[in-house]
């Protein structure tokens, strides 16, 4: 028996588990379809290159346990992302920006043609972020779907990690390592965990992400392929982080499901 698709989320909320007729008869008005998008890319010497996609599936699986009978449906993850900032580091399998845009648009059009009204682009790889923000609006314009974009809220775990990790721990550090120890511990080689923080000590206004940003590839900012302190990671922290992130995620998914664009212009005063 194929164990890959077992467990509650796959039995109850995995859209391709249903037949075409089942899907035709789903109530579409309040259904939310989730398209997870991850990455296959180097995450240092200690984590599998599948880290981001494992995190996407692991968090959604857990969230679905708390969203029974909510008419929320998960599509198979797009396992590859736009990872060209890691190209050349072994094991990175990247799509180009234009390819990922085309794949996401094709799937969004398919979701629309199946009769659904709401689509969530669920992203766990930083390198996909800007592209998916742009695509969310493009899909809205092209298909009329209501489109959401969500990166699971890693800020929910800030109280568990140092300020340095919060600011610079963006890849393969304490958070991602702890999460994979919890979600797929056998795939972590913890004894090889590095610590490396980018040196921005002379720059107080420039950041790796955010409003004042400089373009970088991984080789510009890291010797080890990571940014953060993976040695602080533990399975226990991973479990707590997963619970904190999922608790926020569940609330956000419920809000998306009940969200209506039609409500947005109600506070109008005709002067
Ligand atoms: Zn990652």
């Amino acid at each position: 028996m194929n164990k890959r698709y077992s467990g509650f989320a796959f039995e109850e909320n995995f859209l391709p588990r249903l037949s075409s007729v089942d899907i035709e008869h789903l109530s579409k008005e309040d259904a939310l379809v989730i398209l997870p998008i991850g990455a296959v890319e180097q995450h240092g010497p200690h984590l599998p290159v599948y880290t981001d996609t494992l995190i996407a599936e692991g968090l959604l699986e857990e969230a679905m346990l708390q969203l029974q009978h909510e008419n929320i449906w998960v599509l198979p993850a797009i396992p590859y992302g736009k990872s060209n900032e890691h190209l050349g580091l072994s094991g990175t399998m990247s799509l180009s920006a234009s390819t990922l845009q085309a794949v996401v648009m094709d799937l969004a059009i398919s979701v629309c043609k199946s009769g659904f009204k709401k689509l969530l682009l669920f992203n766990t790889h930083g390198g996909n972020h800007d592209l998916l923000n742009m695509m969310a609006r493009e899909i809205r314009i092209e298909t009329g779907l209501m489109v959401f974009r969500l990166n699971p809220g890693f800020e929910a775990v800030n109280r568990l990690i140092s300020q340095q990790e919060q600011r610079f721990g963006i890849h393969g550090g304490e958070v991602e390592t702890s999460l994979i120890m919890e979600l797929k511990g056998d795939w972590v080689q913890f004894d090889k965990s590095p610590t490396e923080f980018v040196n921005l000590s002379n720059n107080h206004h420039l950041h790796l992400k955010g409003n004042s940003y400089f373009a970088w590839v991984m080789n510009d900012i890291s010797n080890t392929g990571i940014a953060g302190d993976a040695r602080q990671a533990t399975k226990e922290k991973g479990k707590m982080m997963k619970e904190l992130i999922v608790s926020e995620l569940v609330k956000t998914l419920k809000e998306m499901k009940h969200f209506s664009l039609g409500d947005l212009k109600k506070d109008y005063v005709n002067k």
Side-chain angles (χ1 to χ4, degrees):
M1 186 180 147
N2 183 348
K3 282 198 243 162
R4 182 172 171 197
Y5 300 114
S6 57
F8 177 84
F10 283 112
E11 288 300 333
E12 298 295 324
N13 296 89
F14 191 49
L15 191 69
R17 176 237 186 280
L18 305 180
S19 74
S20 174
V21 175
D22 296 336
I23 295 170
E24 185 187 346
H25 289 117
L26 288 176
S27 144
K28 302 297 193 321
E29 283 311 313
D30 65 340
L32 176 67
V33 176
I34 302 176
L35 175 62
I37 302 132
V40 175
E41 66 181 29
Q42 75 78 26
H43 271 74
H46 62 307
L47 288 178
V49 295
Y50 211 36
T51 287
D52 291 345
T53 307
L54 287 174
I55 290 174
E57 291 183 343
L59 294 176
L60 282 173
E61 227 177 308
E62 192 71 18
M64 287 308 142
L65 288 171
Q66 299 174 41
L67 290 165
Q68 303 184 18
H69 315 301
E70 280 278 359
N71 206 10
I72 297 177
W73 299 96
V74 183
L75 287 170
I78 302 177
Y80 305 103
K82 178 184 171 298
S83 297
N84 51 356
E85 72 273 28
H86 299 279
L87 271 183
L89 296 163
S90 297
T92 299
M93 305 290 159
S94 178
L95 302 178
S96 66
S98 56
T99 302
L100 183 57
Q101 283 172 26
V103 170
V104 170
M105 181 59 85
D106 285 352
L107 293 175
I109 290 169
S110 306
V111 167
C112 182
K113 289 207 180 283
S114 283
F116 291 100
K117 312 265 192 262
K118 288 184 175 180
L119 172 66
L120 165 60
L121 307 177
F122 181 85
N123 173 45
T124 49
H125 165 48
N128 294 336
H129 173 84
D130 293 331
L131 180 146
L132 292 176
N133 265 353
M134 186 189 84
M135 288 309 294
R137 184 168 280 151
E138 294 299 303
I139 294 165
R140 167 92 194 112
I141 293 165
E142 180 81 20
T143 66
L145 283 170
M146 227 180 278
V147 192
F148 307 92
R149 193 271 309 141
L150 184 154
N151 301 329
F154 283 11
E155 58 280 3
V157 309
N158 277 352
R159 68 180 170 82
L160 299 176
I161 58 177
S162 69
Q163 283 204 333
Q164 193 181 28
E165 191 75 37
Q166 289 172 32
R167 189 161 166 221
F168 300 119
I170 59 162
H171 188 73
E174 187 175 350
V175 178
E176 285 192 319
T177 305
S178 297
L179 282 171
I180 297 298
M181 288 169 97
E182 162 65 9
L183 296 169
K184 198 73 180 169
D186 292 352
W187 290 13
V188 179
Q189 301 175 62
F190 187 72
D191 55 324
K192 297 181 181 158
S193 294
T195 298
E196 182 168 6
F197 287 101
V198 62
N199 176 19
L200 277 172
S201 53
N202 294 325
N203 299 275
H204 303 293
H205 300 285
L206 286 174
H207 303 286
L208 295 169
K209 52 187 178 180
N211 289 338
S212 50
Y213 161 87
F214 63 96
W216 51 268
V217 296
M218 208 60 197
N219 264 332
D220 295 329
I221 64 167
S222 174
N223 299 296
T224 58
I226 82 153
D229 186 356
R231 284 185 291 192
Q232 298 303 316
T234 66
K235 182 174 162 53
E236 291 67 36
K237 280 185 201 168
K239 187 169 190 310
M240 279 191 278
M241 288 172 180
K242 181 182 77 176
E243 282 164 10
L244 288 167
I245 295 167
V246 166
S247 143
E248 287 301 306
L249 175 58
V250 165
K251 286 184 242 171
T252 310
L253 291 175
K254 282 186 181 164
E255 200 166 304
M256 287 174 180
K257 195 178 156 282
H258 296 290
F259 179 81
S260 163
L261 283 169
D263 294 338
L264 299 179
K265 296 198 291 188
K266 279 191 176 154
D267 280 340
Y268 175 61
V269 181
N270 195 355
K271 287 183 182 163

